[in-house]
Amino acid sequence: MTIADELKSRNFSIYGQWIGILCIILCFALGISNIFHFDIIILWSVLLFISGLVLIFIEIPLLLRICPTSGGFDAFIRRFETNYMRAAIYGVMSLIQWLSLIRYATSLIAAAVFLLIAAVCYALAGFKGQAFQSSKTLGGQGVAQMIV
């Protein structure tokens, strides 16, 4: 199954996962770039960078198999294998970034918007009763099973 076939599947969990990949890139880029504000925004920048690190393990299951991680971390990441749990973590991460507006508006808003879109996609998949489906391109069911 190619990326185009996955996107044509009309499964919102696939959409959420691909938007999640975009969120990872934004989390790293904006987390690093906003660290140089030398203000309280550094707090939200660090939280965004940490969010990116967590999301990379949530969205690319192959990494849990090839990276040495602790059992506790693996158990934490495995909690987010359903659409509702992924919607929840993306929603919380988005809310944290929206709270950066308390100080002033920065480019962290872009991350908040995309995290919210991913949360909505996962929530829609849950509400529509769609089973969680991981992209095979990103190391989902097919690739991760071949490594074991």
Side-chain angles (χ1 to χ4, degrees):
M1 186 180 258
T2 64
I3 296 171
D5 291 336
E6 288 180 348
L7 294 178
K8 290 178 188 175
S9 71
R10 296 187 185 207
N11 188 323
F12 282 97
S13 65
I14 293 286
Y15 302 155
Q17 190 170 26
W18 283 105
I19 294 169
I21 297 301
L22 180 60
C23 288
I24 292 168
I25 295 167
L26 282 173
C27 285
F28 288 136
L30 296 175
I32 291 171
S33 68
N34 281 288
I35 258 177
F36 300 107
H37 275 273
F38 301 110
D39 196 355
I40 191 71
I41 294 298
I42 290 175
L43 172 68
W44 282 285
S45 299
V46 170
L47 289 173
L48 186 62
F49 189 79
I50 291 169
S51 296
L53 289 173
V54 170
L55 288 178
I56 201 166
F57 284 100
I58 289 174
E59 294 299 351
I60 306 175
L62 180 63
L63 290 179
L64 278 179
R65 298 204 183 252
I66 62 176
C67 294
T69 56
S70 70
F73 181 76
D74 289 351
F76 172 74
I77 295 298
R78 290 189 203 289
R79 289 183 188 171
F80 304 105
E81 290 184 350
T82 66
N83 290 324
Y84 289 117
M85 288 302 290
R86 287 188 182 212
I89 192 151
Y90 273 99
V92 168
M93 289 178 181
S94 177
L95 176 65
I96 289 169
Q97 294 310 310
W98 282 111
L99 290 174
S100 71
L101 288 172
I102 291 171
R103 180 68 177 127
Y104 52 85
T106 64
S107 58
L108 296 175
I109 296 171
V113 168
F114 279 94
L115 288 165
L116 183 61
I117 292 170
V120 168
C121 284
Y122 280 122
L124 282 173
F127 293 142
K128 290 184 84 170
Q130 296 175 338
F132 175 74
Q133 183 179 356
S134 183
S135 171
K136 288 185 170 76
T137 307
L138 299 173
Q141 294 93 348
V143 177
Q145 297 303 325
M146 290 188 305
I147 291 177
V148 176

